[in-house]
């Protein structure tokens, strides 16, 4: 029973771990040389970032409606707006730099739109995580504290770290650890038998 509890909790950590791994391969800057890989990586990541929202959605499942509904709305907002960031500042900006063989004012304009989308998505991510922490703390009390601290600190770091090495990778590891710890304490402890 304890083993299945930990393996279920590990599923919540998987998206953050995947993104941390991708962060190790993410170029530090967009340039004509990095543009092809920059574009390709963001195409690959399009279905990965929304998995964080799926984990949030599932962590909110047992929460009361007053926490679950706004939390799920925020998780949806994260998936939509952060996906927009990846499409615009990832795929579109990489394509422009690759086609122009230079970083141009158009690239800056594209990044400006992407940053707006990303900040909105990151705010939604933080809001959903605050509601997750509130929901888990209702059930687990003080046992939620370690996961809450790690997840909320990582959520704040996410505002400007994306998945860039080193801070963004550490941020995604924090998201993974926080979700894992909260999922683990949310599960009921196995009953002890007297004997």
């Amino acid at each position: 029973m304890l083993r299945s509890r930990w393996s279920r909790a590990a599923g919540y950590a998987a998206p953050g771990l995947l993104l941390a791994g991708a962060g190790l391969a993410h170029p530090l800057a967009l340039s004509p040389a990095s543009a092809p890989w920059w574009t390709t990586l963001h195409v690959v990541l399009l279905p990965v970032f929304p998995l964080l929202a799926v984990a949030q959605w599932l962590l909110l499942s047992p929460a009361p409606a007053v926490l679950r509904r706004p939390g799920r709305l925020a998780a949806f907002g994260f998936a939509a707006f952060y996906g927009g960031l990846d499409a615009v500042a990832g795929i579109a900006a990489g394509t422009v730099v690759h086609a122009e063989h230079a970083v141009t004012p158009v690239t800056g304009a594209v990044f400006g739109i992407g940053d707006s989308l990303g900040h909105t998505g990151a705010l939604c991510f933080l809001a959903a995580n605050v509601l997750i922490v509130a929901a888990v703390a209702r059930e687990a009390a003080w046992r939620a504290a370690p996961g809450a601290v790690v997840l909320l600190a990582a959520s704040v770091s996410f505002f400007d770290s994306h998945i860039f090495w080193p801070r963004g990778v550490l941020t995604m590891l924090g998201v993974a650890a926080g979700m894992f710890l909260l999922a683990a304490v949310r599960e009921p402890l196995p009953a002890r038998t007297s004997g």
Side-chain angles (χ1 to χ4, degrees):
M1 178 123 181
L2 189 58
R3 185 174 170 193
S4 66
R5 176 176 155 199
W6 292 115
S7 63
R8 278 194 303 273
Y12 294 97
L17 294 175
L18 285 170
L19 290 165
L24 295 172
H26 197 296
L28 295 178
L30 177 57
S31 68
S34 69
W37 176 239
W38 180 282
T39 304
T40 300
L41 182 63
H42 286 90
V43 168
V44 169
L45 292 177
L46 271 178
V48 180
F49 272 106
L51 293 176
L52 289 174
V54 171
Q56 291 175 315
W57 190 280
L58 294 173
L59 280 167
L60 287 160
S61 290
V66 69
L67 298 173
R68 184 180 64 252
R69 288 180 181 148
R72 285 183 166 175
L73 181 62
F76 173 77
F78 163 71
F81 287 104
Y82 217 80
L85 163 70
D86 262 2
V88 172
I91 299 166
T95 302
V96 167
V97 170
H98 184 64
E100 298 290 326
H101 304 289
V103 176
T104 67
V106 172
T107 311
V110 170
F111 270 117
I113 294 167
D115 285 346
S116 295
L117 293 168
H119 288 128
T120 302
L123 183 61
C124 289
F125 186 71
L126 174 62
N129 287 336
V130 166
L131 293 166
I132 288 166
V133 165
V136 175
R138 283 183 76 249
E139 298 173 25
W142 65 269
R143 293 182 304 125
V149 168
V150 172
L151 182 59
L152 294 179
S155 298
V156 170
S157 177
F158 189 49
F159 270 97
D160 61 356
S161 67
H162 188 50
I163 60 170
F164 292 108
W165 170 260
R167 194 165 137 231
V169 171
L170 295 174
T171 295
M172 284 299 109
L173 291 174
V175 167
M179 287 186 172
F180 172 83
L181 292 169
L182 289 171
V185 299
R186 190 189 78 190
E187 299 278 339
L189 292 171
R192 291 189 178 182
T193 57
S194 56

